[in-house]
Amino acid sequence: MGQRHQLFVIARTNQKYRTLAAVHHQWLYGHTALRRCLGTLEILQGKNNRVPLEEELKDASRRSEGFWGALQDHGRWSNTTDVHFPFIMTCLILGASFGVHDGYFHDIIIEPFQMAYDEGDNNNGITIFDISEPSDVRYCFVDFHGMESDRSQPVQLMTPLSAQTYLAAYYELDDPKFTELIQQFKDRTLIDVNALADTWPHGDWQESEIETGSNSHTALDVAEFRVSETSNPTSLRAQSLDQLVQSVVNGEEIDPEVLSSAISLRDFHVSVRDKLYKEAENLEPFPDMLDLLFDHLKDDQYVNLSLFTTLSTVELFSLAVRLARAGSVKCLNLSGCDLRDQDLHALLSHEGLQKVYMMGDNAVLLAQLAASKPKVDLYHHALLKRPLVEDLLVQDGRETRGPTPPMLDFSPCENAVVQLIWVRVSQYVFLNSECFGPNGDIVWENLRHDTKVPRQSCFSNEAEPRYHKFPLMDVPMSPTRLITGLSSVLQWMSKSSIRGPWELSKGIASSFALSAPSSDTMSCGVGPFSTELSLNNGTNDISAQSLKPGQWAVVLIHEFFDALSQDWIDELIKPKAKGGRSERTLKKQLKYVMITPTADSTNRFTIADVPTFLKTATDRTLGDQLSQWWGKQDKVHEEVQFYDREDIHTVLSKVYPSATASNDEENDGGE
């Protein structure tokens, strides 16, 4: 059953197209397939995702033919499911399964990365993305055996289909609601059929009969020609500057007056930096090389130290720490560097630094990264892969899930947000007049847990608000990812119909992994999923975990969480509601508050909104930037309110019982 669809990421590496990632979607077709395609294109082509994407493309190009394996059974892949390019897979999963703006979520299944185009269970076609040129990601849809579409107009088989052609198989395109959707594909490039034939040579691929005028091409025939703006020979000044730059890079003795004059030239610094990068792999070390590199890299926001392979690990790491302390560098690429014996805390604790890339083989264990208490976003192969691949055990010929891996704790020592609390208030609470005061607000003291109601039921006639604690410490999060991710959580939850903790767990994991959409100025790009939230669905029991002073939690009070829509509330709940509830309270709404326990023993909490939290938890410059950005999200958060009522302490007494509370009392509240 279902509207089954597969999505693939392909790329040309070493003169051959390969499949790098594949997923199965159980319910994807029509306009929803176009929206998920757009979301994936935006992610894959996002500038903030370029570095890890290109690092994995480099990794793919270094793989031998033995890695790709011999194709068997006319091209079908015989390997077990594994994830060799976890960042690319993370991007594909986010694009295919999650949408912030429309509250979309649907779980997907990871397929073997070299699965053939026709190997999946399919009745609604496939979507393919070509990332050979990350600055120009291409797409197409393909119908390879006939789709179960609503219209009687079949599309051409075994050829690249544009978004418009695919959509026309399901709907009349003169419907105004599709006009804007189709328009968003206007400047998107279609994959050429030759790329598909090179990827899956066993297929009977056909030239398109209707897409001949579309903007399509393949990396097989792309060539860039850069012509100089002038045909004049290189000037004597340029020649002299180039010779001087080469002497600087080689560490040669230079007349101080000549060097002083050159430094005053506008393009001298840039020329030296570019030459250092160009010759990075062949630089001959000399005594002042680290100082030279520091002087010409320290003012850049992104520095790629992975290219300087002639430097020792100690030299590279000491340079990285110096650059981080200088303050201008925001992103450091140390991919492929063996950093296992280095003091990572000395590098990763700098708040000015935002990202560190450790892609590829760097020998750094996840436990070592967690112990460094990073304040930055980390891109590490094992960290990206961990939430994507389950450990499976074979017992009596059947695969079963292995033991849950221990939870990692990446949270900094101070002002870390370590939990998200979902307090969900069922629609049935609003039928109980004792639960409301004269002004229509909830009277938390009057809510009692009905022990006759099955605890896992979300739709039963319950009076007690249920809560669920989700851990947020098992992936490193910079302050920017924390705030932009929280914004995505609130926006997605306010648009979504959430059925229970499992679905919310996935949505929270996706929101923080996405940060903000790639087009947003504060987006920090795609990061790793939380293993606890994505793979384990938040099932590790942290209900008894309390907060320590200096640790924070985000509390989300979700009223009418189980109502399908506001129309549902208006038609079915309002006529039955009694006891002073107003129009204001009979709404599906989401309220948030950030909390941290006070240092005394009163079992009370300091409460804050996001701007107030930022004043405490981040340096002033970054805090001001994030506060200003948060203040501009009014339209995004139009259905979200800050919960500043004093009775929040009553709610928290149920979530965080005092130390003297009995275990029974504590277990009554959570799941």
Side-chain angles (χ1 to χ4, degrees):
M1 294 180 62
Q3 305 294 323
R4 302 174 298 283
H5 195 107
Q6 288 81 47
L7 301 94
F8 299 85
V9 175
I10 65 174
R12 190 168 187 252
T13 65
N14 294 335
Q15 309 304 311
K16 176 75 174 72
Y17 264 96
R18 311 283 191 181
T19 311
L20 304 181
V23 298
H24 172 89
H25 197 303
Q26 188 66 13
W27 201 275
L28 188 63
Y29 70 101
H31 67 86
T32 306
L34 265 66
R35 297 184 199 282
R36 303 283 64 83
C37 178
L38 274 175
T40 308
L41 285 169
E42 180 180 340
I43 290 170
L44 290 171
Q45 202 163 315
K47 292 182 179 179
N48 283 319
N49 298 324
R50 189 71 50 80
V51 172
L53 192 69
E54 290 181 342
E55 287 294 332
E56 291 199 337
L57 287 175
K58 290 178 187 177
D59 182 25
S61 69
R62 290 191 288 262
R63 302 281 184 164
S64 67
E65 285 299 318
F67 166 78
W68 300 105
L71 295 176
Q72 301 175 356
D73 187 19
H74 58 79
R76 282 170 165 75
W77 186 251
S78 59
N79 196 9
T80 56
T81 302
D82 201 356
V83 178
H84 295 281
F85 308 103
F87 182 78
I88 293 171
M89 178 61 79
T90 300
C91 292
L92 180 59
I93 291 173
L94 276 173
S97 66
F98 184 71
V100 169
H101 300 303
D102 54 4
Y104 180 85
F105 174 78
H106 196 291
D107 206 15
I108 57 88
I109 298 172
I110 295 175
E111 298 283 9
F113 79 105
Q114 277 282 57
M115 184 176 78
Y117 72 91
D118 59 349
E119 195 172 6
D121 182 11
N122 188 283
N123 59 354
N124 281 274
I126 60 177
T127 307
I128 306 167
F129 304 94
D130 180 357
I131 61 171
S132 302
E133 298 285 339
S135 61
D136 182 23
V137 178
R138 285 146 269 168
Y139 86 98
C140 72
F141 298 93
V142 172
D143 179 7
F144 57 86
H145 67 169
M147 300 184 297
E148 295 180 4
S149 54
D150 295 334
R151 300 185 65 203
S152 58
Q153 298 182 6
V155 297
Q156 183 182 355
L157 302 182
M158 296 298 292
T159 196
L161 303 175
S162 67
Q164 181 170 333
T165 302
Y166 179 82
L167 194 66
Y170 293 89
Y171 317 102
E172 296 288 346
L173 296 187
D174 55 4
D175 190 327
K177 68 182 179 181
F178 298 134
T179 303
E180 182 180 353
L181 179 60
I182 295 173
Q183 187 68 19
Q184 292 182 71
F185 284 89
K186 180 181 179 181
D187 297 324
R188 300 290 184 178
T189 309
L190 199 65
I191 298 175
D192 187 86
V193 68
N194 292 325
L196 303 182
D198 194 39
T199 307
W200 298 291
H202 69 280
D204 184 18
W205 299 99
Q206 305 293 319
E207 291 285 349
S208 175
E209 298 172 357
I210 60 173
E211 309 288 3
T212 54
S214 65
N215 183 22
S216 64
H217 68 257
T218 168
L220 293 169
D221 55 15
V222 171
E224 294 185 358
F225 299 94
R226 293 184 172 86
V227 182
S228 173
E229 295 179 359
T230 174
S231 59
N232 294 330
T234 304
S235 67
L236 290 175
R237 174 188 177 279
Q239 292 181 37
S240 299
L241 179 61
D242 190 59
Q243 292 173 1
L244 179 61
V245 167
Q246 189 65 59
S247 296
V248 170
V249 171
N250 292 341
E252 299 172 4
E253 286 286 339
I254 302 174
D255 186 291
E257 291 186 7
V258 174
L259 184 59
S260 177
S261 298
I263 290 174
S264 64
L265 298 176
R266 184 178 59 180
D267 51 352
F268 176 74
H269 165 75
V270 174
S271 298
V272 173
R273 181 198 63 192
D274 292 348
K275 181 71 73 171
L276 286 168
Y277 274 130
K278 184 177 181 180
E279 301 187 4
E281 296 182 359
N282 301 310
L283 287 176
E284 292 291 338
F286 55 87
D288 297 327
M289 178 178 282
L290 292 183
D291 291 335
L292 177 69
L293 288 168
F294 175 78
D295 290 339
H296 292 282
L297 300 178
K298 63 181 173 63
D299 295 323
D300 294 346
Q301 290 195 352
Y302 170 68
V303 174
N304 187 359
L305 294 182
S306 69
L307 300 176
F308 297 94
T309 55
T310 60
L311 295 180
S312 69
T313 298
V314 174
E315 289 172 327
L316 274 176
F317 188 77
S318 66
L319 178 58
V321 173
R322 286 179 67 187
L323 290 168
R325 289 173 177 169
S328 295
V329 177
K330 304 299 181 186
C331 306
L332 271 174
N333 191 346
L334 294 167
S335 298
C337 303
D338 185 351
L339 304 176
R340 58 187 155 181
D341 296 326
Q342 306 305 312
D343 179 11
L344 293 179
H345 179 74
L347 174 65
L348 304 179
S349 59
H350 290 281
E351 290 191 350
L353 200 59
Q354 296 177 359
K355 295 182 182 181
V356 176
Y357 301 100
M358 296 180 177
M359 306 289 285
D361 184 12
N362 53 49
V364 178
L365 300 177
L366 291 183
Q368 183 183 359
L369 286 178
S372 70
K373 299 299 179 184
K375 295 182 179 179
V376 303
D377 290 332
L378 290 177
Y379 292 79
H380 181 280
H381 181 86
L383 184 64
L384 287 159
K385 182 175 179 177
R386 190 172 192 257
L388 303 178
V389 181
E390 291 186 282
D391 290 328
L392 298 177
L393 301 176
V394 178
Q395 296 179 343
D396 299 327
R398 299 177 61 184
E399 285 188 343
T400 60
R401 187 174 178 184
T404 301
M407 189 187 306
L408 295 172
D409 184 359
F410 286 88
S411 60
C413 298
E414 295 181 354
N415 295 316
V417 179
V418 298
Q419 294 177 7
L420 185 146
I421 315 300
W422 182 42
V423 180
R424 61 190 199 268
V425 185
S426 166
Q427 56 184 302
Y428 297 101
V429 167
F430 293 82
L431 301 178
N432 187 344
S433 59
E434 294 181 359
C435 297
F436 293 86
N439 62 354
D441 289 334
I442 295 176
V443 180
W444 299 99
E445 294 90 338
N446 289 350
L447 299 183
R448 294 291 181 268
H449 180 64
D450 184 354
T451 56
K452 296 180 180 180
V453 175
R455 212 174 260 205
Q456 297 299 324
S457 173
C458 293
F459 296 96
S460 50
N461 189 10
E462 57 183 306
E464 175 76 9
R466 306 302 177 89
Y467 72 82
H468 195 100
K469 291 182 181 179
F470 297 98
L472 297 181
M473 74 282 282
D474 75 316
V475 286
M477 277 197 279
S478 65
T480 303
R481 182 171 300 280
L482 171 68
I483 300 305
T484 55
L486 177 59
S487 175
S488 291
V489 170
L490 296 177
Q491 184 180 357
W492 176 77
M493 288 182 67
S494 63
K495 302 288 185 182
S496 181
S497 296
I498 299 169
R499 290 165 290 185
W502 171 87
E503 189 174 53
L504 180 57
S505 182
K506 299 278 191 178
I508 296 170
S510 298
S511 296
F512 283 111
L514 181 65
S515 168
S518 298
S519 57
D520 195 293
T521 56
M522 288 303 291
S523 172
C524 45
V526 168
F529 286 113
S530 159
T531 299
E532 292 301 319
L533 300 180
S534 181
L535 186 60
N536 299 333
N537 303 326
T539 55
N540 270 345
D541 185 14
I542 65 166
S543 60
Q545 253 183 46
S546 60
L547 288 178
K548 301 174 183 177
Q551 291 182 327
W552 289 77
V554 179
V555 180
L556 303 180
I557 299 174
H558 204 176
E559 299 178 13
F560 281 107
F561 85 94
D562 51 349
L564 299 179
S565 66
Q566 187 60 43
D567 290 340
W568 171 284
I569 298 171
D570 294 342
E571 294 175 9
L572 299 180
I573 303 298
K574 279 186 179 181
K576 303 176 183 178
K578 302 176 182 178
R581 267 136 304 169
S582 62
E583 293 290 321
R584 177 176 58 84
T585 60
L586 290 172
K587 291 177 62 177
K588 188 180 181 76
Q589 51 189 328
L590 185 63
K591 301 173 183 178
Y592 90 95
V593 61
M594 302 188 74
I595 63 160
T596 185
T598 57
D600 56 35
S601 58
T602 59
N603 201 32
R604 289 179 66 83
F605 295 81
T606 298
I607 67 172
D609 58 6
V610 165
T612 303
F613 163 77
L614 287 170
K615 290 179 181 178
T616 303
T618 62
D619 70 84
R620 182 172 180 177
T621 301
L622 179 59
D624 288 346
Q625 291 176 353
L626 289 171
S627 291
Q628 292 174 12
W629 178 85
W630 184 269
K632 295 177 182 179
Q633 306 306 303
D634 290 344
K635 291 184 178 179
V636 172
H637 301 155
E638 60 184 354
E639 299 178 22
V640 180
Q641 300 177 16
F642 170 57
Y643 195 86
D644 58 352
R645 288 172 52 87
E646 182 65 19
D647 64 359
I648 185 63
H649 296 283
T650 305
V651 182
L652 296 176
S653 68
K654 297 175 178 290
V655 179
Y656 296 106
S658 64
T660 58
S662 67
N663 290 333
D664 290 340
E665 181 182 349
E666 184 171 341
N667 290 335
D668 272 349
E671 294 179 271

